[in-house]
Amino acid sequence: MNLVSPRRFVIALVIGLSLLLAAYVGMQMGRGSGDSGGGMGDRSASRDALIGGEFAVESGAVATAPAQGDSSQAADAAKAEQPMPSKVISTGNVTVSGADVAKLRAQAMAVVRETGGSVSAEETTADRKGGQTFSVLTIRVPSDRFDKTMTKLSELGRLVSANRSSEDVSTQVIDVEARVKVQAASVARIRDLLGRAKSIRDIVALENELAQRQSDLDSLRSQQKWLADQTDRSTIT
Protein backbone atom coordinates (compact mmCIF):
# COMPACT_ATOMS: atom_id res chain seq x y z
CA MET A 1 0.00 0.00 0.00
CA ASN A 2 1.46 3.40 -1.09
CA LEU A 3 0.77 6.54 0.85
CA VAL A 4 0.82 10.08 -0.67
CA SER A 5 1.52 13.15 1.33
CA PRO A 6 -1.26 15.78 1.58
CA ARG A 7 0.90 18.42 -0.13
CA ARG A 8 1.58 16.29 -3.17
CA PHE A 9 -2.07 15.37 -3.36
CA VAL A 10 -3.17 19.02 -3.48
CA ILE A 11 -0.62 19.83 -6.21
CA ALA A 12 -1.77 16.87 -8.28
CA LEU A 13 -5.40 17.88 -7.81
CA VAL A 14 -4.71 21.44 -8.96
CA ILE A 15 -2.85 20.21 -12.07
CA GLY A 16 -5.70 17.85 -12.87
CA LEU A 17 -8.33 20.56 -12.58
CA SER A 18 -6.25 22.88 -14.81
CA LEU A 19 -6.02 20.21 -17.51
CA LEU A 20 -9.78 19.60 -17.36
CA LEU A 21 -10.48 23.34 -17.58
CA ALA A 22 -8.15 23.71 -20.59
CA ALA A 23 -9.81 20.77 -22.33
CA TYR A 24 -13.27 22.24 -21.69
CA VAL A 25 -12.28 25.66 -23.03
CA GLY A 26 -10.78 24.02 -26.14
CA MET A 27 -13.97 22.12 -26.76
CA GLN A 28 -16.10 25.25 -26.43
CA MET A 29 -13.87 27.21 -28.80
CA GLY A 30 -13.96 24.40 -31.34
CA ARG A 31 -17.75 24.24 -31.15
CA GLY A 32 -18.07 28.02 -31.49
CA SER A 33 -15.78 28.00 -34.51
CA GLY A 34 -17.82 25.22 -36.10
CA ASP A 35 -21.06 27.08 -35.45
CA SER A 36 -19.60 30.25 -36.91
CA GLY A 37 -18.39 28.40 -40.01
CA GLY A 38 -21.75 26.71 -40.37
CA GLY A 39 -23.54 30.02 -40.03
CA MET A 40 -21.38 31.59 -42.68
CA GLY A 41 -21.90 28.54 -44.89
CA ASP A 42 -25.64 28.74 -44.35
CA ARG A 43 -25.67 32.45 -45.14
CA SER A 44 -23.59 31.85 -48.26
CA ALA A 45 -25.89 29.05 -49.34
CA SER A 46 -28.93 31.22 -48.66
CA ARG A 47 -27.42 34.02 -50.76
CA ASP A 48 -26.67 31.63 -53.60
CA ALA A 49 -30.20 30.29 -53.42
CA LEU A 50 -31.59 33.83 -53.42
CA ILE A 51 -29.49 34.82 -56.41
CA GLY A 52 -30.50 31.63 -58.16
CA GLY A 53 -34.14 32.34 -57.42
CA GLU A 54 -33.90 35.89 -58.73
CA PHE A 55 -32.15 34.61 -61.83
CA ALA A 56 -34.87 32.04 -62.31
CA VAL A 57 -37.53 34.70 -61.99
CA GLU A 58 -35.74 36.99 -64.42
CA SER A 59 -35.18 34.11 -66.81
CA GLY A 60 -38.84 33.26 -66.63
CA ALA A 61 -39.77 36.85 -67.34
CA VAL A 62 -37.46 36.92 -70.33
CA ALA A 63 -38.80 33.63 -71.56
CA THR A 64 -42.40 34.72 -71.31
CA ALA A 65 -41.86 38.22 -72.69
CA PRO A 66 -42.26 38.20 -76.51
CA ALA A 67 -39.18 39.15 -78.46
CA GLN A 68 -39.36 41.83 -81.12
CA GLY A 69 -39.18 39.26 -83.91
CA ASP A 70 -41.94 37.22 -82.29
CA SER A 71 -44.11 40.32 -82.02
CA SER A 72 -43.55 41.06 -85.71
CA GLN A 73 -44.43 37.48 -86.66
CA ALA A 74 -47.52 37.62 -84.47
CA ALA A 75 -48.58 40.87 -86.16
CA ASP A 76 -48.00 39.33 -89.60
CA ALA A 77 -50.02 36.28 -88.60
CA ALA A 78 -52.87 38.46 -87.32
CA LYS A 79 -52.75 40.46 -90.52
CA ALA A 80 -52.81 37.28 -92.59
CA GLU A 81 -55.91 36.11 -90.72
CA GLN A 82 -57.80 39.25 -91.71
CA PRO A 83 -60.09 38.68 -94.70
CA MET A 84 -58.65 39.99 -97.94
CA PRO A 85 -60.92 42.33 -99.95
CA SER A 86 -62.48 40.49 -102.88
CA LYS A 87 -60.89 41.08 -106.27
CA VAL A 88 -63.62 41.14 -108.90
CA ILE A 89 -63.53 41.78 -112.64
CA SER A 90 -66.79 43.44 -113.70
CA THR A 91 -67.92 44.04 -117.29
CA GLY A 92 -71.13 45.54 -118.64
CA ASN A 93 -72.94 46.30 -121.87
CA VAL A 94 -75.62 48.98 -122.31
CA THR A 95 -77.52 49.79 -125.51
CA VAL A 96 -79.82 52.82 -125.75
CA SER A 97 -81.48 54.45 -128.75
CA GLY A 98 -82.72 57.92 -129.53
CA ALA A 99 -83.42 60.33 -132.37
CA ASP A 100 -80.22 62.33 -131.79
CA VAL A 101 -77.21 59.99 -131.58
CA ALA A 102 -74.75 62.88 -131.27
CA LYS A 103 -76.62 64.12 -128.20
CA LEU A 104 -76.69 60.65 -126.63
CA ARG A 105 -72.94 60.34 -127.24
CA ALA A 106 -72.30 63.71 -125.59
CA GLN A 107 -74.39 62.71 -122.57
CA ALA A 108 -72.53 59.42 -122.31
CA MET A 109 -69.21 61.27 -122.32
CA ALA A 110 -70.48 63.50 -119.52
CA VAL A 111 -71.32 60.42 -117.43
CA VAL A 112 -67.81 59.08 -118.05
CA ARG A 113 -66.23 62.30 -116.79
CA GLU A 114 -68.55 62.46 -113.79
CA THR A 115 -67.63 58.95 -112.64
CA GLY A 116 -63.90 59.44 -113.15
CA GLY A 117 -63.75 57.10 -116.13
CA SER A 118 -62.12 57.26 -119.53
CA VAL A 119 -62.88 56.16 -123.08
CA SER A 120 -60.56 53.36 -124.20
CA ALA A 121 -62.13 52.82 -127.65
CA GLU A 122 -64.77 54.39 -129.87
CA GLU A 123 -66.50 53.56 -133.15
CA THR A 124 -68.94 56.10 -134.60
CA THR A 125 -70.68 56.00 -137.99
CA ALA A 126 -72.43 58.81 -139.86
CA ASP A 127 -74.77 59.15 -142.80
CA ARG A 128 -74.08 61.00 -146.04
CA LYS A 129 -75.04 64.31 -144.46
CA GLY A 130 -72.60 63.82 -141.59
CA GLY A 131 -75.19 63.05 -138.98
CA GLN A 132 -74.18 60.41 -136.46
CA THR A 133 -76.26 57.26 -136.78
CA PHE A 134 -74.44 54.80 -134.58
CA SER A 135 -71.77 55.09 -131.87
CA VAL A 136 -70.05 52.48 -129.75
CA LEU A 137 -68.01 53.59 -126.73
CA THR A 138 -65.82 51.33 -124.64
CA ILE A 139 -65.18 52.99 -121.30
CA ARG A 140 -63.19 52.18 -118.16
CA VAL A 141 -64.50 53.33 -114.79
CA PRO A 142 -63.35 52.76 -111.19
CA SER A 143 -64.71 49.43 -110.00
CA ASP A 144 -66.48 51.00 -107.03
CA ARG A 145 -68.49 53.19 -109.47
CA PHE A 146 -69.43 50.42 -111.88
CA ASP A 147 -73.05 50.06 -110.74
CA LYS A 148 -73.62 53.82 -110.65
CA THR A 149 -72.25 54.22 -114.18
CA MET A 150 -74.35 51.37 -115.55
CA THR A 151 -77.49 52.96 -114.10
CA LYS A 152 -76.75 56.43 -115.48
CA LEU A 153 -75.97 55.13 -118.98
CA SER A 154 -79.19 53.09 -119.02
CA GLU A 155 -81.20 56.27 -118.39
CA LEU A 156 -79.77 58.29 -121.31
CA GLY A 157 -82.35 57.13 -123.90
CA ARG A 158 -84.71 54.31 -124.66
CA LEU A 159 -83.12 51.25 -123.11
CA VAL A 160 -82.64 48.47 -125.65
CA SER A 161 -80.55 46.08 -123.59
CA ALA A 162 -78.30 45.95 -120.55
CA ASN A 163 -76.26 43.12 -119.11
CA ARG A 164 -73.39 42.73 -116.71
CA SER A 165 -71.10 40.02 -115.40
CA SER A 166 -68.64 39.68 -112.56
CA GLU A 167 -65.80 37.23 -111.97
CA ASP A 168 -64.14 36.82 -108.58
CA VAL A 169 -60.39 36.44 -109.19
CA SER A 170 -59.23 36.82 -105.58
CA THR A 171 -57.62 33.37 -105.53
CA GLN A 172 -55.85 34.02 -108.81
CA VAL A 173 -54.53 37.36 -107.55
CA ILE A 174 -53.11 35.73 -104.40
CA ASP A 175 -51.59 32.87 -106.39
CA VAL A 176 -49.87 35.13 -108.91
CA GLU A 177 -48.57 37.40 -106.16
CA ALA A 178 -47.02 34.44 -104.32
CA ARG A 179 -45.48 33.09 -107.53
CA VAL A 180 -43.97 36.48 -108.32
CA LYS A 181 -42.27 36.59 -104.91
CA VAL A 182 -40.89 33.07 -105.29
CA GLN A 183 -39.67 33.67 -108.84
CA ALA A 184 -38.07 37.00 -107.90
CA ALA A 185 -36.14 35.26 -105.10
CA SER A 186 -35.07 32.55 -107.55
CA VAL A 187 -33.76 35.14 -110.01
CA ALA A 188 -31.85 36.86 -107.20
CA ARG A 189 -30.18 33.58 -106.22
CA ILE A 190 -29.08 32.90 -109.81
CA ARG A 191 -27.67 36.43 -110.07
CA ASP A 192 -25.71 35.85 -106.88
CA LEU A 193 -24.30 32.57 -108.17
CA LEU A 194 -23.44 34.19 -111.48
CA GLY A 195 -21.50 36.91 -109.68
CA ARG A 196 -19.36 34.24 -107.98
CA ALA A 197 -18.92 31.92 -110.97
CA LYS A 198 -15.32 31.37 -112.11
CA SER A 199 -15.39 29.06 -115.11
CA ILE A 200 -16.80 29.90 -118.55
CA ARG A 201 -18.96 26.77 -118.46
CA ASP A 202 -20.60 27.79 -115.20
CA ILE A 203 -21.12 31.35 -116.40
CA VAL A 204 -22.80 30.21 -119.64
CA ALA A 205 -25.03 27.72 -117.80
CA LEU A 206 -26.06 30.30 -115.20
CA GLU A 207 -26.74 32.97 -117.82
CA ASN A 208 -29.07 30.61 -119.68
CA GLU A 209 -30.85 29.70 -116.46
CA LEU A 210 -31.11 33.37 -115.50
CA ALA A 211 -32.61 34.29 -118.88
CA GLN A 212 -35.29 31.60 -118.52
CA ARG A 213 -36.18 32.51 -114.96
CA GLN A 214 -36.24 36.22 -115.76
CA SER A 215 -38.61 35.50 -118.66
CA ASP A 216 -40.92 33.56 -116.35
CA LEU A 217 -40.81 36.40 -113.82
CA ASP A 218 -41.66 38.99 -116.47
CA SER A 219 -44.62 36.87 -117.59
CA LEU A 220 -45.92 36.58 -114.03
CA ARG A 221 -45.55 40.32 -113.49
CA SER A 222 -47.52 40.97 -116.67
CA GLN A 223 -50.31 38.76 -115.34
CA GLN A 224 -50.17 40.58 -112.02
CA LYS A 225 -50.38 43.97 -113.74
CA TRP A 226 -53.29 42.86 -115.92
CA LEU A 227 -55.23 41.53 -112.93
CA ALA A 228 -54.62 44.77 -111.02
CA ASP A 229 -55.88 46.83 -113.96
CA GLN A 230 -58.98 44.68 -114.49
CA THR A 231 -59.96 44.65 -110.84
CA ASP A 232 -59.27 48.36 -110.25
CA ARG A 233 -61.27 49.55 -113.27
CA SER A 234 -64.34 47.97 -114.83
CA THR A 235 -65.16 47.89 -118.55
CA ILE A 236 -68.50 49.01 -119.97
CA THR A 237 -69.41 49.01 -123.67
Side-chain angles (χ1 to χ4, degrees):
M1 180 174 182
N2 296 324
L3 297 176
V4 180
S5 66
R7 184 178 179 182
R8 289 182 178 179
F9 177 77
V10 171
I11 294 174
L13 179 61
V14 171
I15 293 174
L17 291 174
S18 299
L19 291 176
L20 288 175
L21 179 61
Y24 175 77
V25 172
M27 290 176 62
Q28 293 298 322
M29 290 179 66
R31 180 178 299 177
S33 176
D35 292 343
S36 176
M40 292 178 64
D42 291 342
R43 287 194 297 271
S44 177
S46 299
R47 181 175 178 274
D48 292 341
L50 177 60
I51 294 175
E54 292 176 352
F55 178 77
V57 172
E58 292 176 358
S59 299
V62 172
T64 55
Q68 183 176 0
D70 295 338
S71 299
S72 177
Q73 292 177 1
D76 292 340
K79 183 178 180 181
E81 291 177 357
Q82 296 178 355
M84 175 183 177
S86 297
K87 297 295 183 179
V88 179
I89 298 178
S90 299
T91 57
N93 187 293
V94 179
T95 303
V96 295
S97 65
D100 191 343
V101 175
K103 181 179 180 180
L104 290 177
R105 177 187 175 280
Q107 292 174 338
M109 294 294 292
V111 171
V112 173
R113 290 191 295 270
E114 179 185 347
T115 57
S118 60
V119 177
S120 60
E122 178 181 358
E123 179 186 354
T124 301
T125 60
D127 56 22
R128 293 179 180 181
K129 296 181 180 181
Q132 296 180 7
T133 59
F134 189 80
S135 184
V136 179
L137 301 177
T138 302
I139 64 177
R140 305 293 308 284
V141 297
S143 296
D144 58 350
R145 300 180 183 178
F146 173 73
D147 293 333
K148 177 181 179 180
T149 306
M150 286 285 294
T151 300
K152 285 185 172 293
L153 291 174
S154 300
E155 296 172 347
L156 293 180
R158 185 176 65 85
L159 180 62
V160 177
S161 65
N163 56 74
R164 67 183 69 193
S165 63
S166 297
E167 179 185 4
D168 191 332
V169 293
S170 302
T171 302
Q172 187 175 353
V173 169
I174 295 173
D175 177 67
V176 172
E177 182 180 353
R179 292 170 63 190
V180 165
K181 291 181 179 180
V182 171
Q183 193 67 19
S186 176
V187 169
R189 286 195 299 270
I190 295 299
R191 290 186 183 277
D192 181 63
L193 292 174
L194 183 60
R196 293 182 291 165
K198 302 298 182 182
S199 67
I200 298 297
R201 183 181 62 182
D202 291 344
I203 292 175
V204 171
L206 287 170
E207 284 181 342
N208 292 334
E209 185 66 23
L210 178 60
Q212 180 61 49
R213 298 193 184 193
Q214 185 65 53
S215 176
D216 294 341
L217 177 59
D218 292 341
S219 176
L220 287 170
R221 282 176 172 166
S222 295
Q223 295 181 43
Q224 189 178 41
K225 184 177 180 180
W226 182 85
L227 286 169
D229 176 70
Q230 293 299 308
T231 54
D232 288 343
R233 299 178 74 83
S234 301
T235 303
I236 301 175
T237 303

